[in-house]
Amino acid sequence: MVAFVMTIASNAQDAVGTLSLKPMAGMTIANFIGSDAEGTDTKLGAIFGGELIYQANNYLALSAGLLYSMQGCSADGEGDPKMNLDYINLPVLANFYITKGLALKAGLQFGYLTRAKVSGSGDGVKAEVDMKDACNDFDLSIPLGISYDINNSFVIEGRYNVGITKVGKSKYSFMGETYHDDETDIRNGVFQITLGYKFALK
């Protein structure tokens, strides 16, 4: 038992009570999930922002962030069609250190949609259609991830965000017509890989 307690105590990288700022950037591999998401494919994008991290005790850290995330999906077909969804996300996570530098994390993420456009091309002409009025402004997801601290400074992380809320509204207007859609189950599923650097604030 003593050895177990000593192992847990050595897991955390930061001293208890430390508050750190972590700017971070990386890539997203996004797609739609849900029972009606068949026929969609992954879409690459970028993610950047920062997180505040508080070391609560020797094995638990709490973090909250503000991230700009490019999401959506691509689809098979001519013209390379894509659904481009950009969000400002606020992830709130619990980080559990299971060994020195290695943490598992889970929490909730609150997102606000800033852009929604369908893009494609035909006959050599590229076109975009604004779909923001058909999409929900708010997005709720569950982030699950793993990270590794290098020299208590650089942080490599992989995270998967499982969408809870639907992408599309149940009622929306498009090109002068009003549509009702209460049944379609399409949600965001986003894998993100980031590299961050921690600065101790106190």
Side-chain angles (χ1 to χ4, degrees):
M1 288 297 295
V2 171
F4 176 75
V5 171
M6 290 179 65
T7 299
I8 294 238
S10 67
N11 283 344
Q13 287 284 33
D14 296 323
V16 174
T18 300
L19 181 65
S20 301
L21 173 65
K22 184 185 71 175
M24 55 195 290
M27 67 178 294
T28 57
I29 305 171
N31 201 348
F32 287 157
I33 59 175
S35 58
D36 297 303
E38 295 182 4
T40 63
D41 204 351
T42 55
K43 170 185 169 293
L44 300 182
I47 184 170
F48 53 88
E51 290 185 335
L52 285 173
I53 306 168
Y54 176 71
Q55 194 69 46
N57 55 42
N58 285 324
Y59 56 90
L60 173 66
L62 303 175
S63 64
L66 191 64
L67 304 171
Y68 193 88
S69 179
M70 299 177 183
Q71 302 174 191
C73 73
S74 62
D76 295 331
E78 296 182 4
D80 191 26
K82 287 184 174 64
M83 182 68 173
N84 302 296
L85 302 176
D86 292 357
Y87 290 88
I88 295 176
N89 289 328
L90 173 62
V92 180
L93 298 169
N95 304 263
F96 302 96
Y97 286 89
I98 58 174
T99 187
K100 188 174 179 62
L102 184 65
L104 299 178
K105 49 190 64 187
L108 285 175
Q109 178 172 273
F110 310 91
Y112 176 76
L113 181 68
T114 62
R115 186 176 80 113
K117 290 189 176 182
V118 174
S119 64
S121 61
D123 297 326
V125 178
K126 293 184 178 180
E128 281 190 333
V129 178
D130 195 325
M131 296 294 294
K132 196 169 187 298
D133 288 342
C135 298
N136 284 310
D137 291 331
F138 177 73
D139 184 69
L140 178 66
S141 60
I142 298 176
L144 304 169
I146 185 169
S147 67
Y148 186 72
D149 294 17
I150 303 173
N151 296 328
N152 199 25
S153 296
F154 290 98
V155 182
I156 299 174
E157 180 178 337
R159 191 183 299 178
Y160 186 70
N161 302 312
V162 183
I164 302 299
T165 55
K166 296 179 180 180
V167 171
K169 292 179 180 178
S170 58
K171 179 182 178 181
Y172 61 93
S173 297
F174 182 67
M175 298 184 69
E177 298 289 337
T178 300
Y179 297 88
H180 296 268
D181 185 2
D182 296 316
E183 303 298 329
T184 302
D185 178 25
I186 294 178
R187 294 168 279 120
N188 285 304
V190 184
F191 182 63
Q192 64 188 58
I193 304 170
T194 58
L195 176 64
Y197 187 86
K198 289 196 297 184
F199 298 90
L201 299 180
K202 72 170 186 176

